[in-house]
Amino acid sequence: MKYFLQYFFYLFLSKTSFLRFCNIISRKILFKKYLSGIDFSENTTSLDQEFILNVLNYINKNISDNNLNVENLAEELLLSRSKLYRKIKALTGLTANEFIRNVRLEKSKEILENSEFSISEICYKVGFSSPSYFTKCFKLQYGVLPKEIREDKN
């Protein structure tokens, strides 16, 4: 009987761990696929897809507002700050603030590559209040300065 229980717990824990691992991987794939414009995979749930789409739509709609923060986002989605934080962390592996910042940086990179706006103008268009902070975040995210992206384009 002892060995049966050990075997049972071994199987149960292994399957649970495997399912958790698969769930985490599928959610990270969802986030990466959305940002790269590829269709969602079959492994992600429709509720997760809808949630991410709602978050991204709200952020993109209010991207130029430098007061856009986790509180505003939570209020819009009718969630508490802590619940929003947990949900975004589970889906993307990022905190809510990091997620908002990454969406802003993605948009800034897109504008930088496709327009002739100055770096300061782009910084304000995507909701950063300081060009120096924008440049610092951009360098951390992409490993190059915004100026270098512009120079590579030309």
Side-chain angles (χ1 to χ4, degrees), residues 11 15 19-20 45 76 83 92 117-118 127 132 138 142:
L11 286 177
K15 287 181 183 177
L19 291 174
R20 283 183 185 158
T45 66
E76 174 69 21
K83 181 135 180 141
T92 66
F117 291 113
S118 72
S132 61
F138 196 93
Y142 299 111

Side-chain angles (χ1 to χ4, degrees), residues 58-119:
Y58 182 76
I59 292 171
N60 285 322
K61 197 172 16 172
N62 298 292
I63 200 161
S64 62
D65 181 9
N66 64 357
N67 293 321
L68 173 64
N69 56 25
V70 179
E71 288 81 17
N72 298 344
L73 187 57
E75 186 178 314
E76 174 69 21
L77 298 171
L78 305 174
L79 294 171
S80 68
R81 282 182 42 223
S82 57
K83 181 135 180 141
L84 176 67
Y85 175 85
R86 283 193 305 271
K87 198 163 179 100
I88 289 178
K89 183 76 170 176
L91 290 171
T92 66
L94 302 170
T95 66
N97 285 320
E98 290 170 339
F99 183 75
I100 292 170
R101 185 172 51 242
N102 284 356
V103 171
R104 285 180 162 159
L105 290 170
E106 283 287 325
K107 184 69 172 175
S108 69
K109 185 177 180 192
E110 178 186 319
I111 294 171
L112 195 58
E113 292 171 340
N114 299 320
S115 74
E116 294 301 321
F117 291 113
S118 72
I119 293 170

Side-chain angles (χ1 to χ4, degrees), residues 1-26:
M1 184 68 170
K2 177 182 171 186
Y3 293 108
F4 173 76
L5 288 176
Q6 286 178 340
Y7 181 71
F8 176 77
F9 284 116
Y10 170 77
L11 286 177
F12 177 74
L13 291 177
S14 296
K15 287 181 183 177
T16 303
S17 299
F18 179 73
L19 291 174
R20 283 183 185 158
F21 175 76
C22 289
N23 196 17
I24 290 169
I25 295 299
S26 69

